[in-house]
């Protein structure tokens, strides 16, 4: 290795932070004044060199030096592998990024705070070096496969985006009555709605408007003739989460402590890891504060882009409650999964985000605002057909994602 010192007013410096250890590339050298150059800035570089970090080598801070970085100076924390007439530069790079070399050299690490290897460890390791022409063939083959892998990863990302957009489109078609055909023999949704109102007397108590939501006056669209519009409060009840002092919660299950869902558990599916645990005294013997299968848990206080996100509760076999930053939404008189898909669709359209109120860092949406939202209501038999079709399509899309 060749030592050097910066001579110009400024120089380009490569240290560990300059390396992308996922792509094994130099991401951005630092521009430093020469009169304050770090004492470790002494490694002279040339085009074709390979940098191998001797500090915490398991982090794989390894990179190839191309023409754009050949004028940089590197830290002494790197071993600079320089090719010669017997060693193809790119073969050297691929060799030093191989598991054989990285795993082997890791065995020589010493030190507790910054485990490292030294020059002798690298020099004394045995490396497989084929004839020069074969090195070139190996490099060509590796780079061909890498190009294929990069293209596959790019196409995979595009497909993942397309699948996400397809899911959103399916939900949008569903709530517009365009996903499944209508059956004229179905009981009209207006009759269903009147029956719900008569069976659940509290449904007649309309939610009071507390803020201007006139920007949703145009939310209505043309629907099938046997559908109708209603308010969300007509077809569900809202149950607020329990409150308790911060000191009352723990992340460990102990004794008779009750699992408690928090906003972090509200994901694509309800996450049951990372639950809080609290004393059952905080639910005050109110059974409505216990989660039931078929409940819909909504994140009612979160970042603006996540407020209103929902999870569907299923396969819960033990008592569980929910905290103050979530709402429990319980359908009444309609198909619960239809309500869940509808709420998920409204979330993806940004409706909850727009309807939320913003504090310093948190967006909030409450039961009154939610209850005032206009909801497209299909006949109950069509709700069942819709949810079955959505589940079928989503299952196929999930299978595609799994195979990627």
């Amino acid at each position: 290795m060749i030592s050097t010192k910066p001579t110009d007013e400024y120089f380009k410096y490569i240290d560990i932070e300059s390396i992308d250890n996922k792509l094994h590339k130099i991401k951005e050298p630092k521009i430093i004044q020469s009169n304050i150059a770090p004492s470790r800035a002494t490694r002279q570089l040339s085009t074709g060199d390979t940098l191998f970090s001797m500090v915490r080598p398991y982090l794989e801070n390894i990179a190839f030096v191309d023409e754009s970085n050949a004028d940089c100076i590197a830290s002494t924390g790197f071993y600079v592998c320089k090719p010669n007439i017997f060693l193809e530069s790119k073969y050297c790079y691929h060799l030093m990024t191989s598991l054989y070399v990285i795993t082997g050299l890791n065995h020589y690490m010493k030190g507790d705070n910054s485990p490292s290897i030294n020059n002798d460890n690298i020099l004394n390791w045995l490396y497989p070096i084929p004839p020069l022409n074969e090195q070139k063939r190996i490099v060509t083959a590796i780079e061909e496969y890498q190009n294929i892998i990069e293209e596959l990863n790019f196409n995979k990302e595009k497909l993942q985006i397309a699948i996400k957009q397809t899911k959103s489109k399916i939900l949008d078609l569903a709530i517009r009555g365009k996903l499944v055909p209508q059956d004229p023999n179905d009981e009209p949704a207006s009759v269903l709605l009147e029956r719900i109102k008569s069976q659940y007397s509290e449904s007649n108590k309309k939610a009071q408007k507390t803020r201007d939501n006139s920007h949703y006056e145009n939310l209505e669209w043309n629907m099938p003739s046997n559908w109708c519009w209603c308010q969300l409060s007509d077809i569900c009840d809202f149950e607020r989460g329990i409150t308790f002092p911060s000191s009352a919660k723990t992340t460990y299950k102990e004794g008779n402590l009750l699992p408690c869902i928090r906003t972090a558990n509200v994901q694509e599916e309800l996450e049951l890891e990372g639950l809080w645990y609290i004393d059952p005294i905080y639910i005050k013997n109110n059974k409505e504060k216990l989660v039931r299968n078929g409940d819909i848990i909504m994140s009612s206080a979160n970042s603006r882009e996540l407020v209103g996100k929902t999870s569907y509760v299923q396969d819960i076999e033990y008592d569980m409650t929910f905290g103050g930053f979530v709402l429990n939404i319980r359908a009444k008189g309609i198909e619960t999964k239809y309500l869940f898909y509808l709420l998920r669709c409204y979330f993806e359209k940004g409706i909850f985000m727009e309807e939320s109120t913003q504090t310093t860092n948190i967006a909030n949406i409450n039961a009154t605002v939610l209850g005032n939202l206009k909801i497209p209501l299909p006949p109950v038999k069509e709700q069942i057909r819709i949810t079955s079709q959505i589940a079928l399509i989503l299952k196929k899309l999930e299978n595609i994602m799994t195979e990627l």
Side-chain angles (χ1 to χ4, degrees):
M1 288 183 288
I2 303 173
S3 295
T4 188
K5 286 289 185 181
T7 54
D8 297 329
E9 184 179 358
Y10 292 89
F11 74 102
K12 295 194 296 182
Y13 178 54
I14 298 175
D15 61 5
I16 304 299
E17 294 177 355
S18 305
I19 306 298
D20 184 330
N21 64 349
K22 302 297 183 185
L23 299 176
H24 294 148
K25 291 182 178 180
I26 299 169
K27 52 187 178 183
E28 188 173 354
K30 298 177 178 177
I31 308 299
I32 297 180
Q33 281 185 274
S34 295
N35 60 357
I36 56 170
S39 60
R40 295 169 68 88
T42 63
R43 295 281 199 247
Q44 182 176 315
L45 302 180
S46 303
T47 301
D49 290 346
T50 294
L51 297 176
F52 190 99
S53 175
M54 296 185 289
V55 181
R56 295 189 177 93
Y58 56 85
L59 295 178
E60 300 186 22
N61 286 300
I62 309 164
F64 184 79
V65 180
D66 59 20
E67 292 180 0
S68 65
N69 293 307
D71 59 343
C72 295
I73 297 176
S75 165
T76 54
F78 293 105
Y79 186 92
V80 182
C81 307
K82 290 186 171 291
N84 54 35
I85 59 173
F86 303 106
L87 186 63
E88 164 70 23
S89 60
K90 278 297 185 75
Y91 177 81
C92 176
Y93 163 71
H94 290 302
L95 180 61
M96 297 306 291
T97 57
S98 67
L99 284 177
Y100 166 73
V101 170
I102 295 170
T103 304
L105 294 178
N106 281 345
H107 290 302
Y108 294 110
M109 283 190 302
K110 291 183 179 179
D112 295 324
N113 294 328
S114 297
S116 305
I117 60 175
N118 57 42
N119 294 353
D120 288 339
N121 299 143
I122 294 177
L123 289 170
N124 293 328
W125 185 251
L126 295 177
Y127 302 90
I129 308 296
L132 189 60
N133 285 338
E134 187 168 349
Q135 292 178 38
K136 293 178 179 179
R137 291 195 295 271
I138 290 171
V139 169
T140 299
I142 289 174
E143 294 183 347
E144 285 178 355
Y145 283 119
Q146 284 182 334
N147 289 335
I148 293 172
I149 291 170
E150 288 177 4
E151 184 175 355
L152 288 173
N153 285 335
F154 177 71
N155 289 334
K156 177 180 177 179
E157 290 175 5
K158 289 201 299 184
L159 184 55
Q160 288 172 335
I161 292 172
I163 288 174
K164 183 176 181 180
Q165 292 172 340
T166 300
K167 288 180 178 180
S168 297
K169 184 62 177 177
I170 292 302
L171 296 180
D172 183 64
L173 291 173
I175 68 169
R176 292 176 181 270
K178 297 180 179 181
L179 185 64
V180 299
Q182 280 72 50
D183 185 341
N185 296 315
D186 287 344
E187 177 189 72
S190 58
V191 176
L192 168 65
L193 183 59
E194 289 304 315
R195 185 167 60 251
I196 293 173
K197 289 180 178 181
S198 64
Q199 290 178 351
Y200 301 89
S201 58
E202 66 272 19
S203 295
N204 293 318
K205 300 176 183 178
K206 294 293 186 182
Q208 299 297 313
K209 291 188 178 182
T210 57
R211 54 192 292 265
D212 177 28
N213 63 356
S214 59
H215 55 291
Y216 279 111
E217 292 302 316
N218 62 349
L219 182 63
E220 296 185 12
W221 51 81
N222 291 329
M223 295 187 304
S225 60
N226 57 354
W227 288 42
C228 72
W229 287 96
C230 66
Q231 287 185 310
L232 183 57
S233 58
D234 291 330
I235 57 172
C236 70
D237 289 323
F238 303 99
E239 190 68 39
R240 294 182 178 87
I242 64 170
T243 58
F244 47 85
S246 179
S247 59
K249 68 178 185 291
T250 178
T251 56
Y252 300 98
K253 173 65 175 173
E254 299 174 355
N256 68 336
L257 294 184
L258 192 63
C260 179
I261 296 170
R262 55 194 180 116
T263 192
N265 302 116
V266 183
Q267 302 297 331
E268 287 296 315
E269 295 184 1
L270 186 63
E271 292 280 351
L272 296 182
E273 293 184 3
L275 293 167
W276 284 337
Y277 294 89
I278 61 162
D279 193 309
I281 193 174
Y282 291 106
I283 70 169
K284 301 176 181 178
N285 293 319
N286 185 350
K287 297 299 183 181
E288 298 300 314
K289 302 298 183 183
L290 293 178
V291 175
R292 311 165 189 166
N293 288 319
D295 285 351
I296 300 168
I297 305 296
M298 174 179 283
S299 178
S300 57
N302 208 323
S303 61
R304 192 164 182 266
E305 64 274 12
L306 292 178
V307 69
K309 190 171 186 178
T310 53
S311 292
Y312 187 75
V313 179
Q314 56 187 352
D315 302 326
I316 299 295
E317 299 178 349
Y318 47 87
D319 284 348
M320 181 182 299
T321 188
F322 45 100
F325 286 173
V326 300
L327 276 175
N328 193 333
I329 301 175
R330 290 178 173 140
K332 51 188 183 185
I334 70 166
E335 184 71 15
T336 303
K337 267 296 182 74
Y338 172 76
L339 178 58
F340 169 69
Y341 289 134
L342 184 143
L343 294 174
R344 179 59 62 89
C345 184
Y346 273 31
F347 168 74
E348 293 181 359
K349 287 178 176 291
I351 292 174
F352 301 136
M353 180 173 64
E354 292 299 325
E355 287 290 282
S356 66
T357 56
Q358 183 78 36
T359 58
T360 305
N361 297 312
I362 299 294
N364 295 271
I365 190 163
N366 60 44
T368 301
V369 172
L370 288 170
N372 280 316
L373 289 177
K374 296 176 181 178
I375 299 297
L377 184 66
V380 69
K381 289 185 177 179
E382 187 169 344
Q383 294 174 32
I384 296 171
R385 294 196 298 272
I386 288 171
T387 56
S388 297
Q389 184 68 7
I390 291 176
L392 180 64
I393 296 172
L394 293 185
K395 181 64 175 178
K396 291 179 178 179
L397 292 175
E398 288 301 326
N399 289 340
I400 294 172
M401 289 286 285
T402 303
E403 293 298 323
L404 292 180

